[in-house]
Amino acid sequence: MENNTSNSSNRVLAIDALRGFAVMGIILLHNIEHFNFYSFPTGAPDWLQSLDTHLWDMLFFIFSGKAYAIFALLFGFTFYLQNHNCERRGEDFRNRYMWRLVLLLGFGLINASFFPGEILVLYALLGFVLVPVRKLSNKTVFWIMLIFMLQPLDWLKVAYAAVFPEARPEQMIWSLGDVYPGLGGSSFTAMVRQNLETGVMASLNWAWCYGRVFQTAALFMLGMLLGRLGLFKLEENNREKVLGFWQRVCFYCLPIAVILFFAKDFIFGRISNPFLKETMETILNSYYNLAFMLVMVSAFLLLYWVNKGKVQKILVPYGKMSLTDYITQSVIGSFIYYGYGLEMHLYCGTTVSLLIGVVFFLLQLAFAHWWFLNFKRGPLETIWHRLTWMGKKH
């Protein structure tokens, strides 16, 4: 069996490809959403409206809630790799890691100035959860992760709704809809100001109210745990263990995802209390997205390893520069769709926006392949790495 790591950097190439797949899904979704600016043209012919609807449903079915979950899972795995490498050298990665999160927050705020709804700010804040758990036993980390994954806050909301069935607590203090005037306006500075003043808080508010905070923290820990157990790297001495694990993940999670897909709408339709219904939607959609995501991850990795990456390896350079991919798609995407730029939200329905997203992805992919012919890391990855390790030869 081929060792799927780079000899030069000990990178796990299958994971780079998987990360590239996740970022691709994120970019396609962002394009059809017009980067959270839900403004679309009217008057399209019936056939195009039908196609728009089917493509929208298909992309959301495949990627919504799953691509970001993969991204979070691999964030935790990356932390494990960096922390493990430092431990092997007798170094403590804790302070470097926390400084790295501060830097990520800076990247996130730059990204947020162009795109309300981005996730780097959330990752930078939640990333600190890995500091206190990094030295705990696998069993302890598993139980903490499981509690977070079960959405404890929302189960408290369920209990609250049962005791006070008439209550309708206001959850969204900030709304992404509040930034629409800035997104549709012609002033770049007004858009940036509104995105940073309102968009960031609205994005965090949404993540808190709709399960993304607990799920993301849990996925960080799960990625770290899978890294500890060696389940992301296929080598000669662990082939049976790794393949068997991901086969079982696929075998168990696929029926769970199918059952939840049909059961959740059945359950939602029988809840009359709006607050309780919204809370149960958060819980069950979180469970469904988790199960579906694990099916996607297991299928992707098994296919990669069985075929030695013959097809998926094209995504490896793209996954290696995911930070650059993610931020540049926000900068360019906002210019394409928002009012200060080309205002393509006025002309592009789902089908056309998807085509734009595909072309943009292919251009980014081609750039990534060209870039890594001459450089070791992506442009923004290089800056992040050098600032992380400044003052130390690394």
Side-chain angles (χ1 to χ4, degrees):
M1 178 63 64
E2 181 181 354
N3 186 327
N4 289 285
T5 60
S6 161
N7 292 331
S8 61
S9 62
N10 199 35
R11 295 190 69 100
V12 185
L13 300 185
I15 296 304
D16 284 326
L18 178 60
R19 186 181 291 108
F21 173 75
V23 178
M24 177 195 73
I26 290 170
I27 286 177
L28 295 181
L29 277 183
H30 284 174
N31 270 273
I32 68 170
E33 293 177 306
H34 294 169
F35 289 80
N36 274 16
F37 186 29
Y38 288 84
S39 171
F40 303 95
T42 58
D46 291 342
W47 67 268
L48 184 56
Q49 292 185 42
S50 177
L51 182 58
D52 283 349
T53 300
H54 284 91
L55 287 174
W56 180 281
D57 292 342
M58 179 187 70
L59 285 169
F60 268 77
F61 173 76
I62 296 173
F63 292 115
S64 180
K66 295 91 173 176
Y68 275 126
I70 295 173
F71 214 43
L73 184 74
L74 300 185
F75 184 96
F77 175 61
T78 300
F79 167 79
Y80 157 75
L81 287 178
Q82 294 173 328
N83 187 64
H84 179 66
N85 289 336
C86 281
E87 287 180 340
R88 291 174 59 185
R89 297 193 299 267
E91 301 173 1
D92 188 348
F93 183 56
R94 178 184 55 183
N95 291 336
R96 293 282 178 181
Y97 172 67
M98 290 191 291
W99 168 237
R100 185 174 174 84
L101 291 177
V102 172
L103 295 172
L104 183 62
L105 179 62
F107 283 120
L109 291 174
I110 293 172
N111 197 44
S113 66
F114 291 92
F115 168 45
E118 69 87 46
I119 50 91
L120 298 181
V121 170
L122 178 66
Y123 280 27
L125 297 176
L126 290 181
F128 285 94
V129 76
L130 293 175
V131 175
V133 304
R134 75 194 192 285
K135 292 187 178 296
L136 299 179
S137 68
N138 291 346
K139 184 177 180 180
T140 302
V141 173
F142 173 81
W143 284 110
I144 296 173
M145 178 272 297
L146 183 61
I147 291 171
F148 278 38
M149 196 70 76
L150 291 175
Q151 299 293 350
L153 176 63
D154 283 282
W155 282 111
L156 290 176
K157 292 180 184 179
V158 170
Y160 179 83
V163 176
F164 305 101
E166 302 303 318
R168 302 289 186 271
E170 180 64 37
Q171 299 192 81
M172 292 298 295
I173 301 173
W174 295 273
S175 171
L176 284 173
D178 295 336
V179 303
Y180 280 10
L183 304 186
S186 59
S187 171
F188 174 77
T189 55
M191 179 206 71
V192 170
R193 184 174 62 252
Q194 200 164 52
N195 284 347
L196 291 176
E197 291 177 352
T198 304
V200 171
M201 297 306 299
S203 179
L204 294 175
N205 194 176
W206 181 90
W208 174 254
C209 292
Y210 293 99
R212 190 61 67 84
V213 168
F214 283 96
Q215 185 188 59
T216 300
L219 288 169
F220 286 175
M221 286 183 264
L222 179 59
M224 181 187 74
L225 192 57
L226 291 173
R228 283 185 183 181
L229 297 173
L231 295 170
F232 275 135
K233 185 183 294 188
L234 186 68
E235 297 176 318
E236 289 290 349
N237 61 353
N238 70 353
R239 178 175 180 270
E240 184 175 345
K241 169 189 171 183
V242 173
L243 292 179
F245 172 81
W246 288 109
Q247 287 168 355
R248 289 191 297 274
V249 168
C250 191
F251 179 80
Y252 289 116
C253 288
L254 181 58
I256 292 173
V258 172
I259 292 171
L260 285 172
F261 178 77
F262 291 103
K264 59 190 181 74
D265 288 334
F266 176 82
I267 295 171
F268 301 156
R270 281 152 180 79
I271 301 176
S272 57
N273 183 322
F275 177 64
L276 178 59
K277 181 179 179 180
E278 186 178 78
T279 302
M280 289 304 300
E281 286 176 347
T282 297
I283 292 171
L284 294 183
N285 282 328
S286 173
Y287 296 171
Y288 163 70
N289 287 332
L290 172 65
F292 197 146
M293 180 274 290
L294 290 173
V295 172
M296 294 174 68
V297 169
S298 58
F300 188 97
L301 292 177
L302 289 170
L303 182 62
Y304 188 100
W305 289 324
V306 168
N307 293 296
K308 299 182 179 180
K310 290 179 180 177
V311 176
Q312 295 143 294
K313 67 181 180 182
I314 193 174
L315 292 171
V316 169
Y318 193 64
K320 289 171 67 176
M321 58 190 305
S322 57
L323 179 65
T324 300
D325 298 332
Y326 187 72
I327 292 181
T328 55
Q329 57 102 15
S330 298
V331 174
I332 297 174
S334 69
F335 178 76
I336 292 174
Y337 294 107
Y338 293 172
Y340 82 91
L342 301 179
E343 289 190 290
M344 295 302 289
H345 71 95
L346 297 173
Y347 312 103
C348 299
T350 300
T351 303
V352 177
S353 299
L354 176 59
L355 292 174
I356 292 174
V358 170
V359 171
F360 186 47
F361 160 70
L362 292 175
L363 290 174
Q364 280 194 318
L365 181 65
F367 174 77
H369 278 265
W370 171 81
W371 181 269
F372 283 107
L373 292 176
N374 303 290
F375 302 98
K376 183 179 179 180
R377 297 181 181 86
L380 295 184
E381 287 75 10
T382 299
I383 296 172
W384 196 17
H385 177 82
R386 289 181 177 176
L387 290 177
T388 298
W389 297 99
M390 62 181 183
K392 180 178 177 62
K393 185 177 181 181
H394 191 271

